[in-house]
Amino acid sequence: MNTIKTRTVCIGGAGRTAELKLGGTSPVAIQTMWKEGIVPVLTDERALFSLLDKIEVLRGLGCRLLRFAVPDMQSAEALCLIAEHCTMPLVADIHFDWRLALRCLEGNVAKIRINPGNIGSKDRVKAVVDGCRDKGRAIRIGVNAGSFPADIAKRVEAKEISRAEGLALTALREAEVFEELGFENYLVSVKASDIKETIEANEAFAKKCPLVPLHVGVTEAGPLIGGIVKSTIAFSHLLKEEIGATIRVSLSASPEDEVIAGREILSACGLYKGGVKIVSCPRCGRNGFDVHDFIKRWEHKLLSMDKDITVAVMGCVVNGRGEGKHADIGITGAGDSVVIFKKGETVRTIRHKDLNLLNKNADIAFSEELESL
């Protein structure tokens, strides 16, 4: 167990943007990445406010930091516009052109993510660092195996060092530049798509630089199921060692799925307190209630609620009030009826021959009972 607390990195706190503290004694924060282009917000007010509404959904699900790709100057201008209206701290993901970072700093973008390996000269890195220092912004140094410096890449190819060692060495080299520049408001990420490499690289960096907070992720983790499995194994190992100030579950899926997965991983590790916990059965041939359909309709709403409760969604009388009796509220099928129960005791029974109307009436009754908690 790592007993040394990292230093605290401060993000946001200007304009409408909430302040977020990472590292030190702060809770591990969940972040995700926006998966579409943002240039349309410059000319379409509806696109802007639709995007802001979606950010609020992510915030409600537990996201605390949102990263945007900034491939060109128009995207930088669009991100500045979004940040002007947004309460969540936003991150500009910059590759190759350091001038995009400087443009983002003209707005209220809270944090810059750069990969010094593809930004270019140290003078360009210094320009970004100086800009962030002047504006009180944070930086994340992002390192992955696709951008090793030439000398480290050569050693990895010659098998003198492992890829994990190469990642850690690269990150250490970049962190040294920031330390030499006297800039401490930064985090580091060392990512691989392999679980073992991700764990070893983060452990090696944390051992050498115990004060620098780490953003943890398995890069290009894959589709929903495989990506969650990889991330869970890597994160649970590192978080147990107190490595990780922020996490992202990188999935070929929606940002909402990434946030929910991150929340569930932190909760399983005992690092996410409060919020609604959903217990649901997998459904089988006995089902008298469509668990899957109910979860689809209710999952985001439930997980966004400011309630510290357990909700049970069960398919039949076998798994219903019996296995769900510990839940604060639950819903299950029972023959031709839908039953809503609290702490195992029935509070509502809904019947209707029309399945659509049965579901509608069950939703209304469930909502009313839920609000009473």
Side-chain angles (χ1 to χ4, degrees):
M1 181 75 72
N2 179 16
T3 58
I4 299 176
K5 297 295 182 185
T6 69
R7 59 192 176 213
T8 300
V9 170
C10 296
I11 296 173
R16 296 185 181 184
T17 306
E19 183 182 58
L20 177 66
K21 292 183 178 181
L22 302 174
T25 58
S26 303
V28 179
I30 300 167
Q31 65 175 273
T32 186
M33 189 165 185
W34 194 253
K35 305 206 174 191
E36 301 170 359
I38 56 175
V39 172
V41 304
L42 291 172
T43 55
D44 186 346
E45 190 175 72
R46 289 176 301 178
L48 172 62
F49 287 103
S50 174
L51 191 154
L52 292 170
D53 286 343
K54 291 175 182 176
I55 291 176
E56 280 302 298
V57 170
L58 293 172
R59 185 196 62 76
L61 291 172
C63 183
R64 293 295 171 260
L65 197 59
L66 182 59
R67 182 160 54 110
F68 288 81
V70 181
D72 51 47
M73 199 58 73
Q74 275 192 306
S75 296
E77 292 167 3
L79 186 55
C80 288
L81 177 61
I82 296 165
E84 184 181 327
H85 295 275
C86 191
T87 58
M88 187 186 297
L90 305 183
V91 184
D93 190 69
I94 308 294
H95 290 271
F96 307 113
D97 191 346
W98 83 104
R99 292 168 296 189
L100 298 175
L102 300 183
R103 175 65 185 91
C104 289
L105 291 175
E106 293 175 13
N108 197 33
V109 177
K111 181 178 163 191
I112 304 294
R113 187 271 191 185
I114 61 170
N115 186 332
N118 64 33
I119 282 291
S121 68
K122 285 188 179 180
D123 286 342
R124 294 176 179 179
V125 174
K126 184 177 183 300
V128 176
V129 169
D130 288 344
C132 287
R133 191 198 327 268
D134 293 343
K135 297 282 188 177
R137 312 294 169 79
I139 295 177
R140 174 172 38 119
I141 300 172
V143 172
N144 56 57
S147 54
F148 284 140
D151 61 321
I152 292 178
K154 191 173 181 179
R155 293 180 65 191
V156 172
E157 289 169 8
K159 300 191 183 304
E160 293 178 12
I161 57 174
S162 68
R163 282 163 54 90
E165 290 171 319
L167 283 166
L169 284 173
T170 302
L172 287 166
R173 182 178 295 180
E174 304 301 350
E176 284 173 2
V177 173
F178 278 49
E179 297 292 333
E180 289 169 3
L181 292 171
F183 185 80
E184 294 186 346
N185 202 39
Y186 73 94
L187 298 91
V188 169
S189 65
V190 280
K191 294 185 178 183
S193 58
D194 179 84
I195 299 169
K196 185 171 182 287
E197 287 178 1
T198 297
I199 292 172
E200 290 179 352
N202 279 275
E203 287 177 335
F205 181 87
K207 186 175 181 180
K208 292 287 187 180
C209 293
L211 295 179
V212 178
L214 278 159
H215 165 71
V216 176
V218 178
T219 191
E220 300 156 354
L224 188 67
I225 296 173
I228 290 174
V229 170
K230 287 182 182 178
S231 298
T232 301
I233 294 171
F235 292 4
S236 60
H237 184 103
L238 291 169
L239 291 169
K240 186 177 181 180
E241 296 182 330
E242 298 184 359
I243 295 173
T246 72
I247 61 168
R248 179 197 172 191
V249 184
S250 299
L251 302 172
S252 299
S254 70
E256 291 84 359
D257 283 337
E258 291 191 353
V259 173
I260 292 169
R263 174 175 169 168
E264 291 298 320
I265 292 170
L266 289 183
S267 181
C269 291
L271 297 173
Y272 192 96
K273 306 300 182 185
V276 174
K277 299 175 184 65
I278 302 174
V279 178
S280 62
C281 78
R283 199 176 76 180
C284 69
R286 286 191 303 265
N287 82 92
F289 179 67
D290 194 338
V291 173
H292 297 183
D293 189 55
F294 186 86
I295 290 293
K296 285 179 183 177
R297 296 198 307 273
W298 279 88
E299 183 180 30
H300 285 187
K301 182 177 180 180
L302 287 171
L303 294 180
S304 298
M305 297 184 75
D306 187 20
K307 292 179 182 288
D308 186 7
I309 60 173
T310 297
V311 176
V313 185
M314 301 298 186
C316 70
V317 291
V318 174
N319 287 334
R321 287 166 291 179
E323 291 193 22
K325 65 183 177 183
H326 66 288
D328 297 281
I329 185 170
I331 188 166
T332 187
D336 61 351
S337 306
V338 171
V339 173
I340 298 173
F341 56 91
K342 292 180 177 178
K343 296 293 185 182
E345 298 295 325
T346 299
V347 294
R348 297 264 194 123
T349 301
I350 302 98
R351 294 183 176 88
H352 206 290
K353 292 181 180 179
D354 185 302
L355 181 60
N356 290 329
L357 288 174
L358 177 63
N359 286 337
K360 181 179 179 181
N361 292 341
D363 280 356
I364 292 171
F366 183 78
S367 181
E368 290 172 352
E369 294 295 336
L370 187 63
E371 288 301 320
S372 71
L373 291 175

